[in-house]
Amino acid sequence: KGWRGRIAFQALRGVLPDGIELQPVGGTVRADGQSLVFEDIKGKIGGGEVAATVDAKPGPNGIALNARLALDNVDGGALRYRALAMPAGRVSLQMTLASQGRSVAALAGALSGSGTVTLESAKFAGLNPRAFEVAVRASDNGQVRDDARLRQIVEPALAAGALSVGSVQVPFTIRDGRMRVAA
């Protein structure tokens, strides 16, 4: 509070949660006595580029937070958080976020925004399209007596391959801290 100034930074390496690495990373931190702005943050991740701008300022209901994030041509394997991971392929993203609250939990719970993820040459493991052929053949041969037996036949076929997708765009919205993807 009350700090005014501008600091430019550059680092050969930056680490995000869960060990995701940016090499190199740089940007500017600017303050006007009330708001704090992280602007022109740029780095490289997974062979692609990331850019972000985040501003935070006090408001009547706590901290007001606004952010813009862009990823361009990033290897999906480099994008993970705990058990969540993007599929293999190239990922691009455009996203805006906003929130307001008095604590980190309140900010996370009030998070809203929207964006689009674009996947190029993506491979979704465990979704082998041949599983349909296996299911039809098993049904035609009388091997399927119930859903449990069908599952026993189809699950190994699903796990044996991947669904390849040339290109797909996935628009999404975030409201009340939850991401929603349209059908």
Side-chain angles (χ1 to χ4, degrees):
K1 189 172 183 178
W3 178 74
R4 295 175 186 276
R6 182 172 181 233
I7 299 172
F9 66 93
Q10 289 184 328
L12 293 175
R13 179 176 177 261
V15 180
L16 297 173
D18 216 35
I20 296 175
E21 208 170 279
L22 297 169
Q23 290 187 351
V25 62
T28 304
V29 180
R30 181 175 45 86
D32 63 8
Q34 290 292 317
S35 64
L36 184 63
V37 180
F38 297 85
E39 58 189 2
D40 299 325
I41 299 170
K42 293 183 180 174
K44 296 203 179 278
I45 181 173
E49 297 181 6
V50 62
T53 298
V54 179
D55 70 77
K57 58 186 163 195
N61 296 320
I63 301 287
L65 183 70
N66 290 294
R68 286 190 321 268
L69 177 66
L71 299 175
D72 186 38
N73 203 28
V74 174
D75 176 20
L79 302 174
R80 66 194 179 300
Y81 181 72
R82 296 184 181 163
L84 300 174
M86 291 299 287
R90 304 308 290 180
V91 178
S92 296
L93 167 86
Q94 297 291 320
M95 178 171 63
T96 58
L97 296 169
S99 189
Q100 192 166 347
R102 297 186 186 279
S103 67
V104 173
L107 286 167
L111 198 61
S112 65
S114 63
T116 302
V117 173
T118 303
L119 303 172
E120 300 285 337
S121 303
K123 292 193 184 297
F124 295 87
L127 292 175
N128 186 356
R130 290 209 47 225
F132 292 107
E133 296 171 27
V134 170
V136 169
R137 194 173 334 112
S139 178
D140 289 348
N141 293 339
Q143 294 176 314
V144 178
R145 295 179 299 278
D146 56 26
D147 289 346
R149 179 68 182 135
L150 180 61
R151 181 178 292 119
Q152 287 175 339
I153 294 169
V154 172
E155 279 183 352
L158 276 173
L163 175 65
S164 295
V165 177
S167 178
V168 63
Q169 284 190 331
V170 181
F172 62 89
T173 58
I174 299 171
R175 198 167 96 200
D176 299 328
R178 292 182 168 210
M179 184 186 309
R180 292 171 175 82
V181 177

